Amino acid sequence: MCLKRPVIFLGPPGAGKGTQAKRLAARCNVPHLSTGDMLREHVHKGTELGRKAKPVMDRGDLVPDEVVLGMVEERISRPDSADGFVFDGFPRTIPQAEKLDQILHKRNFAAPLVVNFQVSNDTLVHRVAGRWVCSVGGEIYNIYEHPPKKPGFCDNDGGALVQRSDDQVEVVRERLAAFEKQTQPLIDYYRAKGNLDEVDGSANVEEVNRRLVEILTRHGADGDCA
Ligand code: AMP
């Protein structure tokens, strides 16, 4: 399958955006661009950007728009982004969305398809509190719904599973509040442009994936490779 339009997954933390974005990107052979992962990599490497972003991320607040936009513009100018990409966790604010529209237009990409993941707050807190991530390949597990075969280790590469420092319940509530305040207006922004569809993200991974493929097909966002 090929992507005919860039895809954006919108939704609160724990909605399943990362899991689904990884699958879709692998299937279409395009990059999965998670601004959260990019920022965590900066933190991990101890870059200047990472040192500035860490306290903001640990509080559950949003990193400044210009920092995130600089990272994204650099990333989508690389050759492996030429056939499209799947955004996860970006854009988060209206200025980010407006600037992204300009960048996509400048680079001759089609208008993005935006899919909003809908999941109740109780389910989100439960999911995020049970989330463990492979420290090697980034595979995402959930100890309740999608546990690894061997506790603490990744099924794919045997990497140790770790919990994100911002996945503690109090920080999750902060992140949900930040999402509602700053990201909710994006839903209106994209709806007004006619780029938005919604998926019920409360089902299991396979079922949400099936629904997403239907949505992509309906909006002409996927197709056979030429
Ligand atoms: P995520 O992995 O998408 O949940 O992001 C983790 C944290 O990284 C967020 O709580 C923010 O502090 C920061 N972050 C990720 N993406 C963005 C973005 N597009 N704009 C601002 N901050 C972001």
Side-chain angles (χ1 to χ4, degrees):
M1 194 171 103
C2 282
L3 265 197
K4 305 282 184 208
R5 300 168 65 178
V7 171
I8 295 173
F9 285 163
L10 271 191
K17 305 182 300 292
T19 301
Q20 297 295 341
K22 270 192 210 313
R23 285 188 162 216
L24 176 65
R27 184 170 165 169
C28 299
N29 202 21
V30 297
H32 160 218
L33 302 186
S34 153
T35 43
D37 285 350
M38 292 182 206
L39 288 165
R40 277 185 289 279
E41 183 148 354
H42 276 281
V43 171
H44 182 69
K45 287 187 178 154
T47 66
E48 194 188 335
L49 192 159
R51 280 197 299 277
K52 285 192 184 142
K54 184 168 186 345
V56 181
M57 294 170 74
D58 282 347
R59 284 199 304 273
D61 288 339
L62 292 184
V63 171
D65 289 337
E66 59 280 9
V67 173
V68 175
L69 284 163
M71 253 178 16
V72 166
E73 185 153 21
E74 186 280 322
R75 184 64 189 81
I76 69 175
S77 64
R78 294 192 209 162
D80 68 343
S81 297
D83 293 332
F85 26 82
V86 183
F87 277 123
D88 149 25
F90 174 86
R92 290 267 231 284
T93 63
I94 295 285
Q96 291 182 15
E98 288 171 344
K99 184 70 202 271
L100 177 65
D101 279 346
Q102 290 168 15
I103 297 172
L104 293 179
H105 184 71
K106 190 171 81 188
R107 295 182 179 274
N108 293 322
F109 283 106
L113 170 65
V114 184
V115 183
N116 180 36
F117 284 56
Q118 292 180 310
V119 184
S120 75
N121 269 12
D122 285 349
T123 305
L124 294 173
V125 173
H126 178 75
R127 276 189 184 172
V128 173
R131 173 158 67 185
W132 288 76
V133 184
C134 174
S135 56
V136 178
E139 182 73 12
I140 303 167
Y141 294 88
N142 186 286
I143 52 169
Y144 309 113
E145 291 163 18
H146 170 48
K149 293 194 182 89
K150 183 175 169 201
F153 297 94
C154 180
D155 295 348
N156 298 346
D157 54 25
L161 302 186
V162 292
Q163 257 194 315
R164 285 170 40 177
S165 58
D166 59 351
D167 274 354
Q168 295 146 29
V169 170
E170 319 80 72
V171 183
V172 173
R173 295 206 186 276
E174 277 304 315
R175 288 166 60 210
L176 287 177
F179 169 77
E180 273 171 28
K181 195 165 127 236
Q182 289 177 290
T183 312
Q184 200 69 36
L186 283 177
I187 294 166
D188 302 330
Y189 175 86
Y190 285 120
R191 186 174 285 127
K193 286 181 169 272
N195 292 356
L196 187 85
D197 208 330
E198 317 252 338
V199 69
D200 174 0
S202 56
N204 65 39
V205 172
E206 295 306 326
E207 177 57 20
V208 175
N209 190 253
R210 198 190 58 72
R211 292 176 191 171
L212 280 171
V213 171
E214 262 177 30
I215 290 173
L216 292 172
T217 306
R218 193 161 64 236
H219 290 271
D222 65 349
D224 292 331
C225 300

